[in-house]
Amino acid sequence: MRFGARESDSPWIDTVWTCTSEQVTEMTSVAGVRWGLVFWEQDGRAYTSITGPETRTGTAPVPEGANFTGIEFAVGTSLRVVPTPALVDAGVELPDTTRRTFRLDGARWETPGPDDAEALVERLVRAGIVVGDPLVAEVLRGHRPDVSGRTVERRFRAATGLTRGAIRQIERARTAAGLLAAGDPAAAVVAKLAYFDEPHLARALRSYVGRTVGQLRKGGGGAIGLDLDQRSTP
């Protein structure tokens, strides 16, 4: 699998990614805190899916010979038509997709390429189809809103489908995987990300990433749904 990803300057988007699958029929899925839109073509047919946050690692099928473009939305954004809690560990394939357009929330939209993601999302925002909770965004920027902790937690769950604690744990494990894949020693990752010790790091990687420290260092374990340094998997 060949992955590519870029960050976005849009406040509504975290990452835009592309992937081409070759001689791969399954991959390790990785826990993630964001929902997304995924567009792909296989054998001349086009597809669109809404993906949700994932709370654990697992194995996912991969359409062979497919080309993907994906948009991962910023934490705190959501779709008007599908509450994010309903997407946790799930997803929705959208009907009536063509190679040029897809249907979402009763309207037809032009299918984007990797360079058109921001323009599409801006149109969805203007139409009120993609919305955001300003309180969640404020908390993520490090501010302390003048509301109770219970209110903050309730708003996080409504916007993301996850608790703040779960978001921190998943994001920390993904960061750890990236550092280990780049060659950082396990002890340094433990210290940098404030894990209790190396066994705690190992358990987090098994639960959320589906890899051991050694596999991440060596790029082993097969295809994985995470943009690590090893972007090609035989």
Side-chain angles (χ1 to χ4, degrees):
M1 296 180 69
R2 298 198 305 271
F3 278 100
R6 65 172 176 83
E7 295 181 350
S8 174
D9 57 7
S10 167
W12 301 91
I13 301 173
D14 181 76
T15 305
V16 179
W17 58 271
T18 59
C19 177
T20 301
S21 62
E22 296 176 354
Q23 300 179 339
V24 173
T25 58
E26 65 178 24
M27 70 175 182
T28 300
S29 62
V30 176
V33 302
R34 295 167 179 83
W35 70 278
L37 288 172
V38 181
F39 311 89
W40 76 97
E41 290 188 16
Q42 182 190 29
D43 298 330
R45 184 177 174 186
Y47 304 85
T48 303
S49 288
I50 305 169
T51 59
E54 296 185 54
T55 61
R56 57 187 178 272
T57 187
T59 301
V62 177
E64 187 174 353
N67 296 301
F68 300 84
T69 296
I71 303 171
E72 285 199 348
F73 286 79
V75 175
T77 65
S78 58
L79 271 175
R80 178 179 63 189
V81 68
V82 185
T84 306
L87 293 170
V88 174
D89 294 322
V92 178
E93 185 172 325
L94 298 178
D96 197 19
T97 293
T98 72
R99 297 184 70 181
R100 293 182 177 272
T101 64
F102 68 101
R103 187 175 294 278
L104 177 63
D105 200 8
R108 186 162 286 284
W109 306 89
E110 186 175 349
T111 301
D115 296 328
D116 306 318
E118 283 80 5
L120 168 65
V121 171
E122 188 59 36
R123 291 193 293 271
L124 295 175
V125 170
R126 288 200 302 267
I129 293 173
V130 171
V131 297
D133 187 327
L135 184 144
V136 172
E138 184 179 350
V139 171
L140 290 171
R141 289 195 296 267
H143 299 161
R144 294 185 176 182
D146 189 21
V147 297
S148 70
R150 181 176 296 180
T151 296
V152 171
E153 192 63 47
R154 177 177 56 80
R155 297 273 286 272
F156 258 82
R157 282 181 173 271
T160 70
L162 304 171
T163 65
R164 283 189 290 169
I167 290 172
R168 285 193 295 267
Q169 290 176 30
I170 292 170
E171 292 281 73
R172 183 168 63 160
R174 290 171 66 100
T175 300
L179 293 172
L180 291 164
D184 286 24
V189 174
V190 166
K192 183 173 184 176
L193 300 181
Y195 280 101
F196 183 74
D197 54 21
E198 290 189 32
H200 280 80
L201 168 63
R203 284 195 291 273
L205 292 172
R206 286 196 301 270
S207 296
Y208 299 125
V209 182
R211 289 288 187 272
T212 65
V213 171
Q215 287 173 326
L216 288 164
R217 283 175 176 162
K218 298 175 183 178
I224 186 170
L226 189 61
D227 183 37
L228 300 171
D229 286 345
Q230 302 90 348
R231 296 191 180 182
S232 295
T233 304

